[in-house]
Amino acid sequence: MNKSIFYVLVCVFLWALIPVVSKLGQDGLDNHQFLFWSSLSSLLFFFGIGIYKKKINHLGKISKKKWLKAILLGFLGTYLYYVLLYLGYANAPGMEVLIVQYSWPILIAILSLIILKEKLTFPKTTSILLGFFGVFIVLTKGNFQQLKFENLNIDLIVFFGAFAFALFSVLSKKIEMDDNSLLTIYFLTATVASFISMNIFSGFKIPEINTIIPILINGFLVNGLSYIFWIKALKMGEASFIAPFVFLTPVLSSIFLIVFFNEPFHTAYLIGMSCVILGGLLNARK
């Protein structure tokens, strides 16, 4: 298997756990507080790796220009994306937000054409369209009439967040830095930014004991470890090539919700999953 495909599939598996850990981890915490504690956990995760590998001193050797680039990218991809996404979930129907959210793989393909000068081939285009259509079927459960985009302002905010993450992903391909140092700066930025916004829009709160494990899982694995594989996937393969595989995430999330929370299974899930898998196979063929 192509290594970039393997890395992005690991990301898909970890990102698919987001609904599960979010439901368990936000018991008693609002979205600002949950984002702060998750970002802090991710920062400690990468800081710990740096100490273990004796590479933490590399941060002091990075030029101010690269530090600034990493901070700006970290603000886009590890803070702005999530805070706008959480704002969407707090003010609009979840299904509506999810569909707008998953415009970011499409935006990656478009931005990779403009910024990275990648070619958008017929298999890539077809794979992206099949993937988005499959996600649309899964999220609407095949009942398209129930989806009404009546929260245009919120939808635009979520779309801007999706654009921020797409831009973060494409530009992360171009920055030359040790992965762990880069991710440490990313989540240092997210921790500081989320701490500030938490105190402005919410308030500081210590998590309850029952939410600590979900927060650590989210910080160490769902956000932390996944970003290692996402950066590796981006650097090893074309951004427009790996983007369609991301559409597997909400499909797998639906399966996890069925398993962990006994949510009902719908036939539309099979149809949607088939579209996403078919698109992935088409994109992955030699």
Side-chain angles (χ1 to χ4, degrees), residues 218-266:
N218 190 58
F220 286 11
L221 301 178
V222 178
N223 278 351
L225 188 63
S226 69
Y227 273 77
I228 295 177
F229 289 104
W230 183 239
I231 297 298
K232 286 183 179 294
L234 287 168
K235 290 186 176 181
M236 294 189 69
E238 290 188 338
S240 57
F241 169 73
I242 65 173
F245 295 101
V246 176
F247 288 120
L248 280 167
T249 307
V251 176
L252 195 55
S253 290
S254 299
I255 295 173
F256 285 154
L257 289 172
I258 292 168
V259 172
F260 288 104
F261 298 103
N262 295 316
E263 293 202 2
F265 178 81
H266 299 273

Short mmCIF file of all heavy atoms in Angstrom, two decimals, residues 218-266:
data_model
loop_
_atom_site.label_atom_id
_atom_site.label_comp_id
_atom_site.label_asym_id
_atom_site.label_seq_id
_atom_site.Cartn_x
_atom_site.Cartn_y
_atom_site.Cartn_z
N ASN A 218 -8.56 12.39 23.33
CA ASN A 218 -8.71 13.38 22.27
C ASN A 218 -7.41 14.13 22.03
O ASN A 218 -6.98 14.34 20.89
CB ASN A 218 -9.83 14.37 22.61
CG ASN A 218 -10.19 15.25 21.45
OD1 ASN A 218 -10.58 14.78 20.39
ND2 ASN A 218 -10.07 16.55 21.63
N GLY A 219 -6.76 14.55 23.13
CA GLY A 219 -5.53 15.33 23.01
C GLY A 219 -4.34 14.52 22.53
O GLY A 219 -3.56 14.98 21.68
N PHE A 220 -4.19 13.28 23.04
CA PHE A 220 -3.02 12.46 22.69
C PHE A 220 -3.18 11.77 21.34
O PHE A 220 -2.24 11.70 20.56
CB PHE A 220 -2.78 11.40 23.77
CG PHE A 220 -2.20 11.94 25.05
CD1 PHE A 220 -2.13 13.31 25.30
CD2 PHE A 220 -1.73 11.08 26.03
CE1 PHE A 220 -1.60 13.81 26.48
CE2 PHE A 220 -1.20 11.57 27.22
CZ PHE A 220 -1.15 12.94 27.44
N LEU A 221 -4.38 11.24 21.09
CA LEU A 221 -4.57 10.39 19.90
C LEU A 221 -5.35 11.09 18.78
O LEU A 221 -4.85 11.24 17.67
CB LEU A 221 -5.28 9.10 20.29
CG LEU A 221 -4.59 8.22 21.34
CD1 LEU A 221 -5.44 7.00 21.64
CD2 LEU A 221 -3.21 7.80 20.86
N VAL A 222 -6.59 11.50 19.09
CA VAL A 222 -7.47 12.03 18.05
C VAL A 222 -6.90 13.30 17.43
O VAL A 222 -6.94 13.49 16.23
CB VAL A 222 -8.88 12.29 18.63
CG1 VAL A 222 -9.79 12.89 17.56
CG2 VAL A 222 -9.48 10.98 19.15
N ASN A 223 -6.36 14.18 18.28
CA ASN A 223 -5.70 15.38 17.75
C ASN A 223 -4.19 15.20 17.64
O ASN A 223 -3.60 15.51 16.62
CB ASN A 223 -6.01 16.59 18.64
CG ASN A 223 -7.35 17.22 18.32
OD1 ASN A 223 -7.98 16.85 17.34
ND2 ASN A 223 -7.79 18.14 19.14
N GLY A 224 -3.57 14.71 18.70
CA GLY A 224 -2.11 14.61 18.72
C GLY A 224 -1.52 13.68 17.68
O GLY A 224 -0.91 14.10 16.70
N LEU A 225 -1.72 12.38 17.88
CA LEU A 225 -1.12 11.38 17.00
C LEU A 225 -1.60 11.53 15.56
O LEU A 225 -0.82 11.34 14.61
CB LEU A 225 -1.45 9.98 17.52
CG LEU A 225 -0.75 8.80 16.82
CD1 LEU A 225 0.75 8.88 17.00
CD2 LEU A 225 -1.29 7.47 17.36
N SER A 226 -2.86 11.90 15.38
CA SER A 226 -3.40 12.01 14.02
C SER A 226 -2.66 13.07 13.21
O SER A 226 -2.46 12.91 12.00
CB SER A 226 -4.89 12.35 14.08
OG SER A 226 -5.12 13.66 14.55
N TYR A 227 -2.24 14.15 13.87
CA TYR A 227 -1.54 15.21 13.14
C TYR A 227 -0.17 14.76 12.66
O TYR A 227 0.33 15.22 11.63
CB TYR A 227 -1.42 16.47 14.01
CG TYR A 227 -2.61 17.39 13.91
CD1 TYR A 227 -3.80 17.10 14.56
CD2 TYR A 227 -2.56 18.55 13.15
CE1 TYR A 227 -4.90 17.94 14.47
CE2 TYR A 227 -3.65 19.40 13.04
CZ TYR A 227 -4.82 19.08 13.71
OH TYR A 227 -5.91 19.92 13.60
N ILE A 228 0.46 13.84 13.41
CA ILE A 228 1.74 13.28 12.95
C ILE A 228 1.54 12.58 11.62
O ILE A 228 2.28 12.81 10.64
CB ILE A 228 2.31 12.29 13.99
CG1 ILE A 228 2.67 13.00 15.29
CG2 ILE A 228 3.54 11.57 13.42
CD1 ILE A 228 3.17 12.08 16.39
N PHE A 229 0.52 11.74 11.56
CA PHE A 229 0.26 10.98 10.33
C PHE A 229 -0.27 11.89 9.21
O PHE A 229 0.02 11.65 8.04
CB PHE A 229 -0.72 9.84 10.61
CG PHE A 229 -0.14 8.73 11.41
CD1 PHE A 229 -0.44 8.57 12.75
CD2 PHE A 229 0.75 7.83 10.83
CE1 PHE A 229 0.12 7.53 13.49
CE2 PHE A 229 1.31 6.80 11.55
CZ PHE A 229 1.00 6.65 12.89
N TRP A 230 -1.04 12.92 9.58
CA TRP A 230 -1.56 13.84 8.56
C TRP A 230 -0.43 14.61 7.88
O TRP A 230 -0.38 14.74 6.66
CB TRP A 230 -2.57 14.78 9.19
CG TRP A 230 -3.24 15.74 8.23
CD1 TRP A 230 -3.23 17.09 8.28
CD2 TRP A 230 -4.03 15.40 7.09
NE1 TRP A 230 -3.95 17.61 7.24
CE2 TRP A 230 -4.46 16.60 6.49
CE3 TRP A 230 -4.41 14.18 6.50
CZ2 TRP A 230 -5.25 16.62 5.34
CZ3 TRP A 230 -5.20 14.21 5.35
CH2 TRP A 230 -5.60 15.42 4.79
N ILE A 231 0.51 15.12 8.67
CA ILE A 231 1.66 15.84 8.11
C ILE A 231 2.50 14.91 7.25
O ILE A 231 2.96 15.27 6.16
CB ILE A 231 2.52 16.46 9.23
CG1 ILE A 231 1.71 17.52 10.01
CG2 ILE A 231 3.78 17.09 8.66
CD1 ILE A 231 1.24 18.69 9.18
N LYS A 232 2.72 13.67 7.72
CA LYS A 232 3.48 12.70 6.94
C LYS A 232 2.78 12.39 5.62
O LYS A 232 3.43 12.29 4.57
CB LYS A 232 3.69 11.41 7.75
CG LYS A 232 4.71 11.51 8.87
CD LYS A 232 4.91 10.17 9.55
CE LYS A 232 5.95 10.25 10.64
NZ LYS A 232 7.31 10.52 10.11
N ALA A 233 1.46 12.20 5.68
CA ALA A 233 0.69 11.90 4.47
C ALA A 233 0.80 13.05 3.47
O ALA A 233 0.99 12.84 2.27
CB ALA A 233 -0.77 11.64 4.82
N LEU A 234 0.70 14.28 3.98
CA LEU A 234 0.78 15.45 3.10
C LEU A 234 2.15 15.58 2.45
O LEU A 234 2.26 15.96 1.27
CB LEU A 234 0.49 16.73 3.91
CG LEU A 234 -0.97 16.96 4.31
CD1 LEU A 234 -1.07 18.09 5.33
CD2 LEU A 234 -1.82 17.27 3.09
N LYS A 235 3.20 15.26 3.21
CA LYS A 235 4.56 15.42 2.68
C LYS A 235 4.96 14.29 1.74
O LYS A 235 5.84 14.47 0.90
CB LYS A 235 5.56 15.54 3.84
CG LYS A 235 5.43 16.87 4.59
CD LYS A 235 6.51 17.06 5.64
CE LYS A 235 6.40 18.44 6.28
NZ LYS A 235 7.44 18.67 7.30
N MET A 236 4.31 13.13 1.87
CA MET A 236 4.68 11.98 1.04
C MET A 236 3.84 11.86 -0.23
O MET A 236 4.26 11.21 -1.19
CB MET A 236 4.57 10.68 1.86
CG MET A 236 5.56 10.60 2.99
SD MET A 236 5.58 8.97 3.77
CE MET A 236 6.30 7.99 2.47
N GLY A 237 2.65 12.42 -0.22
CA GLY A 237 1.77 12.30 -1.39
C GLY A 237 1.20 13.65 -1.78
O GLY A 237 1.27 14.62 -1.02
N GLU A 238 0.62 13.73 -2.96
CA GLU A 238 -0.03 14.96 -3.39
C GLU A 238 -1.26 15.22 -2.53
O GLU A 238 -2.02 14.30 -2.22
CB GLU A 238 -0.44 14.87 -4.86
CG GLU A 238 0.74 14.87 -5.83
CD GLU A 238 0.27 14.97 -7.27
OE1 GLU A 238 -0.89 14.63 -7.55
OE2 GLU A 238 1.06 15.40 -8.12
N ALA A 239 -1.46 16.49 -2.14
CA ALA A 239 -2.59 16.84 -1.29
C ALA A 239 -3.92 16.49 -1.96
O ALA A 239 -4.85 16.01 -1.30
CB ALA A 239 -2.55 18.34 -0.96
N SER A 240 -4.00 16.71 -3.27
CA SER A 240 -5.23 16.40 -4.00
C SER A 240 -5.47 14.90 -4.12
O SER A 240 -6.59 14.46 -4.35
CB SER A 240 -5.19 17.03 -5.40
OG SER A 240 -4.05 16.59 -6.12
N PHE A 241 -4.40 14.11 -3.95
CA PHE A 241 -4.52 12.65 -4.00
C PHE A 241 -5.06 12.08 -2.70
O PHE A 241 -5.91 11.19 -2.69
CB PHE A 241 -3.16 12.02 -4.33
CG PHE A 241 -3.12 10.53 -4.16
CD1 PHE A 241 -3.75 9.70 -5.08
CD2 PHE A 241 -2.47 9.94 -3.08
CE1 PHE A 241 -3.72 8.31 -4.92
CE2 PHE A 241 -2.43 8.57 -2.93
CZ PHE A 241 -3.07 7.75 -3.85
N ILE A 242 -4.58 12.60 -1.56
CA ILE A 242 -4.98 12.03 -0.27
C ILE A 242 -6.32 12.59 0.23
O ILE A 242 -6.98 11.97 1.06
CB ILE A 242 -3.89 12.23 0.80
CG1 ILE A 242 -3.70 13.70 1.13
CG2 ILE A 242 -2.59 11.59 0.38
CD1 ILE A 242 -2.77 13.94 2.30
N ALA A 243 -6.73 13.77 -0.27
CA ALA A 243 -7.95 14.42 0.22
C ALA A 243 -9.20 13.54 0.13
O ALA A 243 -9.98 13.48 1.08
CB ALA A 243 -8.17 15.74 -0.51
N PRO A 244 -9.46 12.84 -1.00
CA PRO A 244 -10.70 12.05 -1.09
C PRO A 244 -10.84 10.96 -0.03
O PRO A 244 -11.96 10.59 0.33
CB PRO A 244 -10.62 11.43 -2.50
CG PRO A 244 -9.74 12.34 -3.27
CD PRO A 244 -8.73 12.83 -2.28
N PHE A 245 -9.72 10.43 0.48
CA PHE A 245 -9.80 9.37 1.49
C PHE A 245 -10.40 9.87 2.81
O PHE A 245 -10.90 9.09 3.61
CB PHE A 245 -8.41 8.77 1.74
CG PHE A 245 -7.84 8.06 0.55
CD1 PHE A 245 -6.90 8.68 -0.26
CD2 PHE A 245 -8.26 6.78 0.21
CE1 PHE A 245 -6.38 8.03 -1.38
CE2 PHE A 245 -7.75 6.13 -0.90
CZ PHE A 245 -6.81 6.75 -1.70
N VAL A 246 -10.34 11.19 3.02
CA VAL A 246 -10.86 11.77 4.26
C VAL A 246 -12.37 11.59 4.36
O VAL A 246 -12.93 11.57 5.46
CB VAL A 246 -10.48 13.27 4.32
CG1 VAL A 246 -11.11 13.94 5.54
CG2 VAL A 246 -8.97 13.43 4.35
N PHE A 247 -13.05 11.43 3.22
CA PHE A 247 -14.50 11.27 3.24
C PHE A 247 -14.93 9.98 3.95
O PHE A 247 -16.11 9.82 4.28
CB PHE A 247 -15.05 11.26 1.81
CG PHE A 247 -15.01 12.61 1.14
CD1 PHE A 247 -14.29 12.81 -0.02
CD2 PHE A 247 -15.69 13.69 1.68
CE1 PHE A 247 -14.26 14.05 -0.64
CE2 PHE A 247 -15.67 14.94 1.07
CZ PHE A 247 -14.95 15.11 -0.09
N LEU A 248 -14.00 9.09 4.23
CA LEU A 248 -14.31 7.90 5.01
C LEU A 248 -14.60 8.23 6.47
O LEU A 248 -15.25 7.46 7.17
CB LEU A 248 -13.14 6.89 4.96
CG LEU A 248 -13.01 6.03 3.71
CD1 LEU A 248 -11.65 5.34 3.69
CD2 LEU A 248 -14.12 4.98 3.68
N THR A 249 -14.12 9.39 6.93
CA THR A 249 -14.22 9.74 8.34
C THR A 249 -15.65 9.77 8.87
O THR A 249 -15.97 9.09 9.86
CB THR A 249 -13.53 11.10 8.62
OG1 THR A 249 -12.20 11.05 8.12
CG2 THR A 249 -13.50 11.39 10.10
N PRO A 250 -16.57 10.57 8.25
CA PRO A 250 -17.94 10.58 8.81
C PRO A 250 -18.67 9.25 8.66
O PRO A 250 -19.55 8.94 9.47
CB PRO A 250 -18.64 11.68 7.98
CG PRO A 250 -17.84 11.81 6.74
CD PRO A 250 -16.42 11.51 7.13
N VAL A 251 -18.28 8.46 7.64
CA VAL A 251 -18.88 7.13 7.48
C VAL A 251 -18.48 6.24 8.66
O VAL A 251 -19.32 5.58 9.28
CB VAL A 251 -18.45 6.49 6.15
CG1 VAL A 251 -18.99 5.07 6.04
CG2 VAL A 251 -18.91 7.33 4.97
N LEU A 252 -17.19 6.27 8.98
CA LEU A 252 -16.69 5.47 10.10
C LEU A 252 -17.22 6.01 11.42
O LEU A 252 -17.51 5.24 12.35
CB LEU A 252 -15.16 5.47 10.09
CG LEU A 252 -14.44 4.43 10.95
CD1 LEU A 252 -14.90 3.02 10.61
CD2 LEU A 252 -12.92 4.55 10.78
N SER A 253 -17.40 7.34 11.51
CA SER A 253 -17.97 7.94 12.72
C SER A 253 -19.37 7.41 12.98
O SER A 253 -19.74 7.13 14.13
CB SER A 253 -18.03 9.47 12.59
OG SER A 253 -16.75 10.03 12.62
N SER A 254 -20.15 7.26 11.91
CA SER A 254 -21.51 6.73 12.04
C SER A 254 -21.49 5.31 12.61
O SER A 254 -22.31 4.95 13.46
CB SER A 254 -22.22 6.74 10.69
OG SER A 254 -22.32 8.05 10.18
N ILE A 255 -20.52 4.52 12.16
CA ILE A 255 -20.38 3.15 12.66
C ILE A 255 -20.01 3.15 14.14
O ILE A 255 -20.58 2.39 14.94
CB ILE A 255 -19.31 2.38 11.84
CG1 ILE A 255 -19.78 2.23 10.39
CG2 ILE A 255 -19.04 1.00 12.46
CD1 ILE A 255 -18.73 1.64 9.47
N PHE A 256 -19.10 4.03 14.54
CA PHE A 256 -18.70 4.13 15.94
C PHE A 256 -19.87 4.54 16.83
O PHE A 256 -20.04 4.05 17.95
CB PHE A 256 -17.55 5.13 16.11
CG PHE A 256 -16.21 4.61 15.64
CD1 PHE A 256 -15.22 5.48 15.23
CD2 PHE A 256 -15.95 3.25 15.62
CE1 PHE A 256 -13.99 5.00 14.80
CE2 PHE A 256 -14.72 2.77 15.19
CZ PHE A 256 -13.73 3.64 14.78
N LEU A 257 -20.71 5.48 16.33
CA LEU A 257 -21.87 5.92 17.10
C LEU A 257 -22.88 4.79 17.29
O LEU A 257 -23.53 4.69 18.33
CB LEU A 257 -22.53 7.12 16.42
CG LEU A 257 -21.74 8.43 16.47
CD1 LEU A 257 -22.40 9.49 15.60
CD2 LEU A 257 -21.61 8.94 17.91
N ILE A 258 -22.99 3.94 16.26
CA ILE A 258 -23.87 2.77 16.36
C ILE A 258 -23.34 1.80 17.42
O ILE A 258 -24.08 1.28 18.25
CB ILE A 258 -23.99 2.06 14.99
CG1 ILE A 258 -24.75 2.95 14.00
CG2 ILE A 258 -24.69 0.72 15.13
CD1 ILE A 258 -24.67 2.46 12.56
N VAL A 259 -22.01 1.59 17.38
CA VAL A 259 -21.38 0.62 18.30
C VAL A 259 -21.39 1.12 19.74
O VAL A 259 -21.77 0.40 20.67
CB VAL A 259 -19.93 0.32 17.84
CG1 VAL A 259 -19.21 -0.53 18.90
CG2 VAL A 259 -19.93 -0.39 16.50
N PHE A 260 -20.98 2.40 19.94
CA PHE A 260 -20.80 2.91 21.31
C PHE A 260 -22.08 3.45 21.94
O PHE A 260 -22.24 3.42 23.16
CB PHE A 260 -19.73 4.02 21.33
CG PHE A 260 -18.33 3.50 21.12
CD1 PHE A 260 -17.69 3.65 19.91
CD2 PHE A 260 -17.66 2.85 22.14
CE1 PHE A 260 -16.40 3.18 19.70
CE2 PHE A 260 -16.36 2.38 21.96
CZ PHE A 260 -15.73 2.54 20.73
N PHE A 261 -23.00 3.98 21.11
CA PHE A 261 -24.18 4.62 21.67
C PHE A 261 -25.49 4.00 21.18
O PHE A 261 -26.56 4.56 21.38
CB PHE A 261 -24.18 6.12 21.34
CG PHE A 261 -23.01 6.87 21.93
CD1 PHE A 261 -21.93 7.24 21.14
CD2 PHE A 261 -22.98 7.18 23.27
CE1 PHE A 261 -20.84 7.93 21.68
CE2 PHE A 261 -21.90 7.86 23.83
CZ PHE A 261 -20.83 8.23 23.03
N ASN A 262 -25.38 2.84 20.53
CA ASN A 262 -26.56 2.09 20.06
C ASN A 262 -27.48 2.94 19.18
O ASN A 262 -28.71 2.83 19.25
CB ASN A 262 -27.36 1.55 21.25
CG ASN A 262 -26.56 0.51 22.03
OD1 ASN A 262 -25.92 -0.35 21.44
ND2 ASN A 262 -26.60 0.61 23.34
N GLU A 263 -26.89 3.81 18.38
CA GLU A 263 -27.70 4.60 17.46
C GLU A 263 -28.21 3.70 16.33
O GLU A 263 -27.56 2.71 15.96
CB GLU A 263 -26.89 5.77 16.90
CG GLU A 263 -26.52 6.80 17.96
CD GLU A 263 -26.20 8.16 17.39
OE1 GLU A 263 -26.30 8.33 16.15
OE2 GLU A 263 -25.84 9.06 18.17
N PRO A 264 -29.37 4.01 15.76
CA PRO A 264 -29.97 3.12 14.74
C PRO A 264 -29.14 3.05 13.46
O PRO A 264 -28.49 4.02 13.08
CB PRO A 264 -31.33 3.77 14.47
CG PRO A 264 -31.18 5.19 14.90
CD PRO A 264 -30.22 5.18 16.05
N PHE A 265 -29.17 1.87 12.83
CA PHE A 265 -28.48 1.67 11.55
C PHE A 265 -29.46 1.94 10.41
O PHE A 265 -30.61 1.53 10.45
CB PHE A 265 -27.95 0.24 11.45
CG PHE A 265 -27.27 -0.05 10.14
CD1 PHE A 265 -25.96 0.32 9.94
CD2 PHE A 265 -27.96 -0.69 9.11
CE1 PHE A 265 -25.32 0.06 8.73
CE2 PHE A 265 -27.33 -0.95 7.91
CZ PHE A 265 -26.01 -0.58 7.72
N HIS A 266 -28.99 2.64 9.40
CA HIS A 266 -29.82 2.96 8.24
C HIS A 266 -29.21 2.38 6.97
O HIS A 266 -27.98 2.36 6.82
CB HIS A 266 -29.96 4.48 8.08
CG HIS A 266 -30.61 5.15 9.25
ND1 HIS A 266 -31.97 5.29 9.37
CD2 HIS A 266 -30.08 5.70 10.37
CE1 HIS A 266 -32.26 5.91 10.50
NE2 HIS A 266 -31.12 6.18 11.14
#
